[in-house]
Structures are given as structure tokens and as C-alpha cells.
Amino acid sequence: MNLNFAFTLVIFLLSESVYAQENAPWKRHTIDNTSLGSDGSKLADVNGDGRMDLIVGWEEGGVSRLYINPKEPREFWEYIEVPSPDVEDAFAVDLDGDGFMDLVTLSEGKHQRITIHWAPADWVSYYHSEQWVSQDIPVTVGRTRWMFGRPYDMDGKNGIDLVVGSKNPNGTLGWLEAPENPRNMETWKYHEITPAGWIMSIELLDMDRDGLEDILISDRYGELRGVRWIKNPGHGKDLRGLWGNHFIGVQDGEPMFLTLADIPEWTSDGVPGIVVPDLVKGWEIFYREEGRWVNESMAYPAFSGTRGKSVAVADMNQNGSWDLVASYEGALDKSGVLSVDGFLEKTPSYTDISGNAGVKYDFIVLIDIDGDGDLDVLTCEETGEDGSKEGLGVIWYENPLK
């Protein structure tokens, strides 16, 4: 397949509005809508039962919740709740090595801190919120507006460290070095990797095939905005200084949540493709060809929200073609979640997954949440039609394929 031709055709078809659109939205299931401003979701199997549990920060509600996946996902999801004012991101990781996953929350607004919520080290207490202990990492308090994080053992000692990013003022991407005793909060150290304007995504992968995990980011604002990767200099003291920066693209745009697309045609040198929404312009697509990055663009459809937020790539209808699933904000009376079916083919089509309900959708996760053999769409929606933060909450859309 000639990819350049295929993308040229895609852009033409989009501009002429001749795509077929499936009209019936997928069935929506609500996991929780009882707090305010559900803002992103991450997965982890915290209890080892083989089912992915869910961590969500509720920004205006000032809490984060760890939802325990029931055997039947349409039933009530019990949750553990921890305090987290102005929370922007939350995820689970066992930081003290006791076998029980803790929670990490990152806060912007006035709170501006990263907090570790220590889990009790027994299963009876684990499910009781009042048994958890919340402690701020002092070096992060009041430093900047923290936005996104990933757990990763950066230096090969003292267990898991934290790779974290923020937005201006004092925007930064760096790592929090775990001390010998992770519960000694005063001894966590922060090392800046690169200045930043507004970190949207952080992915850890070997970009130059040298055996070391580099950091791929989308940085939304500022002089260094764009999709770029930062080269891991190797173990040793250099890890604690600034790393080398390499731009991939979208330096004149506003890149949002990116996704890695492990499409065989795009991975000739072992590096996956990248798809990222450029906020109001459309999707930007990057893949490797003969040792260099190639860039293609796709416009948003007329029936979608006006501001692209998140994107994922998979074969949703199991027909052997790659589909692109996307979420939007600015989706009042528009589709907030949709897919471009067969987006690399000559005649792709659209599926309106969400219908017109919802205004501001966030990060999307593709997961077979009901165990029926096809991928469903998990996301959060945080804004009501009246502009309040009483949105649809934590929701998933059931793939009608099976």
C-alpha cells in the first residue's frame, strides 16, 4: 500500500465530506458519576485477580478513586477514595515494595504537589479508605502545576522512581528519585530532564534502539512545544542532568494526548508510529521510513467536537484493518467519541460511538472490559451541558460487535 497516496485520499475525502457515518451510538455504561470533574483514567490490576482496576482523579471533587473491577462490569464498582485537591493525574504503583499497590496523585491549581497515598499492607484494610495514609513529596510542593506521571525504575536502585511533568509557570519534565526508604518523604529528590510548557503525554520506550528507555512526550505550550523525545544518557550521574532533546513534529501546533501505533508498515526499524491530535487542526501521524520520520495529516470530521483530545489505534471491528478511535472536547451537540474505521484504507468510514451526549471527554483506553472478545472504549467526561463539572463521569462504551 502506498501510504502517501492513502493519506492524500483520506484528506480529500474528509474535505469533501463524503465519508459514510454509522448513526447509532454504542451503548454507554456508567461506572461512577457521583463526584465532579472526572479527569483521566489509568489501569492496574491492584489485587491480582486478572481484571484491570481503574484509577480516576476527580479534579473539582478534590478526590481520587481506585475502582475495583467487579466480575460483572455493569454492576457497581466499589472504590477506595483518597484526598487530592486539584488532581490532574492519578495512577497505582507499589512504591515501598510491600506487595500492595499505592496511589500517586499529581495536582495543579493552587494545591501544586505530588502525593503518595500509602496502601495498608493487608487485604482486609486495603479496601477501607480510612486506612490509607496520604503524604506529600516535599520537593514537589508549590513548585509547579503537576499534570502527568509514569512509574519507572530510572536508576536501577531503591525500587520504582516517578517520571513526572507539569505546565507553566515553571513547567518541567523530570524524575523523582526514590530514596532507600521510600516512606521517608524528605529524601525524595527531583531531577529535571527538560524544561516544558504543558506536558500532555509521557511514554517510555527505546527510540534510538540503544537498549535504553528514552522518554517520548507531547508538550502543548511554549518554546519547546511539540512531539519530542528526550534521549536517555545512560546510568550514572548524567541521569541527574538535562537530557538531549529531539523534535519529531507539531512545533507550530498544540499536541494533545499521543498514542503509539504498533502498525507493521510503520515499524521497519522497531520504533512504533505515533498519532496525536493537534488541538483544533486534526490528527498528526508520524512513522519511520528509511531511517527518517514521515508526517501525514488528517482533518477532523464535521460531526465531531471541535478540539481533539485523545486517540488510540486498534482493529475495533476485527476485519483486519486498522481503526482510529478519538475523543474530543468542545463537543456540545457534537460527537465526543468516534472511530475512523480502516483509516489507512482507500475508503474509510466513521462510527459515531458516543452520539451527542457529553461535552469534554478525556483520555481514552481500549479494553475488553466485558470479556466478550472485542475492544470497548473506556473514558471520562467531565463537563455538563450547562458548563458545570457534573459531566457523564467515568463511563465505557460497549462494542456492539459481539
Side-chain angles (χ1 to χ4, degrees):
M1 178 180 63
N2 186 320
L3 289 175
N4 288 327
F5 172 79
F7 280 112
T8 300
L9 180 60
V10 165
I11 294 168
F12 171 77
L13 290 174
L14 282 164
S15 65
E16 296 300 311
S17 302
V18 295
Y19 267 100
Q21 178 187 342
E22 300 294 337
N23 293 320
W26 291 7
K27 185 174 182 179
R28 185 178 76 239
H29 301 275
T30 300
I31 292 175
D32 187 17
N33 61 0
T34 62
S35 190
L36 298 174
S38 56
D39 198 10
S41 56
K42 289 184 177 175
L43 301 177
D45 181 4
V46 300
N47 53 13
D49 65 358
R51 296 188 295 271
M52 297 306 291
D53 307 301
L54 174 63
I55 305 95
V56 176
W58 294 82
E59 186 172 4
E60 281 71 25
V63 298
S64 293
R65 290 174 176 173
L66 165 58
Y67 298 89
I68 305 301
N69 194 331
K71 291 182 179 180
E72 168 48 63
R74 298 169 186 83
E75 295 178 355
F76 177 71
W77 291 55
E78 296 185 6
Y79 60 81
I80 297 133
E81 181 178 281
V82 296
S84 52
D86 300 324
V87 62
E88 188 65 29
D89 191 22
F91 55 89
V93 57
D94 181 7
L95 287 175
D96 55 6
D98 64 357
F100 295 83
M101 283 198 181
D102 312 297
L103 295 181
V104 177
T105 58
L106 291 83
S107 293
E108 57 156 342
K110 295 181 179 179
H111 201 56
Q112 294 190 14
R113 67 197 63 200
I114 298 173
T115 303
I116 302 173
H117 309 270
W118 300 105
D122 71 84
W123 286 117
V124 174
S125 301
Y126 192 87
Y127 298 105
H128 295 277
S129 302
E130 67 275 9
Q131 298 297 317
W132 289 61
V133 175
S134 300
Q135 293 183 304
D136 301 329
I137 301 178
V139 73
T140 70
V141 175
R143 187 184 191 115
T144 185
R145 294 187 284 179
W146 299 103
M147 299 298 292
F148 200 88
R150 296 283 193 188
Y152 182 69
D153 184 1
M154 187 70 74
D155 56 5
K157 63 180 183 180
N158 298 336
I160 303 296
D161 308 297
L162 300 173
V163 181
V164 293
S166 75
K167 71 178 180 181
N168 283 327
N170 305 316
T172 183
L173 173 81
W175 63 287
L176 285 160
E177 180 182 353
E180 184 175 359
N181 176 10
R183 287 188 177 243
N184 186 346
M185 307 305 290
E186 297 287 344
T187 55
W188 282 82
K189 298 177 181 178
Y190 181 70
H191 307 287
E192 184 172 72
I193 291 171
T194 178
W198 183 340
I199 295 295
M200 292 295 297
S201 303
I202 298 174
E203 297 289 346
L204 294 129
L205 71 161
D206 186 357
M207 295 293 291
D208 54 2
R209 317 310 294 168
D210 66 352
L212 296 172
E213 298 288 278
D214 307 300
I215 301 177
L216 173 68
I217 62 172
S218 54
D219 188 351
R220 184 173 173 181
Y221 279 168
E223 295 181 359
L224 292 173
R225 68 178 173 176
V227 176
R228 54 191 175 105
W229 66 278
I230 303 95
K231 179 177 172 56
N232 189 331
H235 295 307
K237 63 180 181 181
D238 286 342
L239 277 176
R240 292 162 179 81
L242 296 180
W243 296 13
N245 183 68
H246 301 268
F247 281 103
I248 295 174
V250 203
Q251 290 172 256
D252 59 350
E254 197 169 343
M256 304 298 281
F257 292 120
L258 64 77
T259 192
L260 300 175
D262 199 10
I263 296 174
E265 297 97 319
W266 292 356
T267 56
S268 59
D269 61 359
V271 179
I274 300 166
V275 184
V276 60
D278 185 352
L279 185 64
V280 297
K281 295 179 181 179
W283 298 292
E284 295 296 327
I285 297 154
F286 301 91
Y287 58 91
R288 302 281 290 174
E289 189 175 86
E290 298 180 351
R292 65 184 183 91
W293 286 103
V294 176
N295 177 215
E296 304 287 353
S297 302
M298 291 175 59
Y300 300 141
F303 71 95
S304 76
T306 57
R307 297 158 63 91
K309 194 67 178 286
S310 177
V311 65
V313 173
D315 183 2
M316 299 297 290
N317 50 20
Q318 299 181 6
N319 66 353
S321 295
W322 293 100
D323 309 315
L324 186 153
V325 184
S327 68
Y328 294 84
E329 55 187 45
L332 182 63
D333 296 325
K334 297 274 192 175
S335 176
V337 182
L338 58 83
S339 69
V340 186
D341 304 325
F343 81 106
L344 296 181
E345 305 301 321
K346 292 182 178 180
T347 56
S349 61
Y350 281 121
T351 296
D352 182 0
I353 293 174
S354 67
N356 289 352
V359 178
K360 187 178 181 182
Y361 286 84
D362 206 83
F363 194 75
I364 55 174
V365 178
L366 305 182
I367 178 176
D368 182 10
I369 200 166
D370 53 4
D372 65 356
D374 57 25
L375 291 172
D376 309 299
V377 179
L378 172 70
T379 188
C380 294
E381 197 283 318
E382 62 178 288
T383 303
E385 293 185 6
D386 60 357
S388 73
K389 289 299 181 177
E390 294 182 356
L392 300 175
V394 187
I395 53 179
W396 62 280
Y397 292 95
E398 183 176 351
N399 192 329
L401 185 66
K402 296 181 180 180

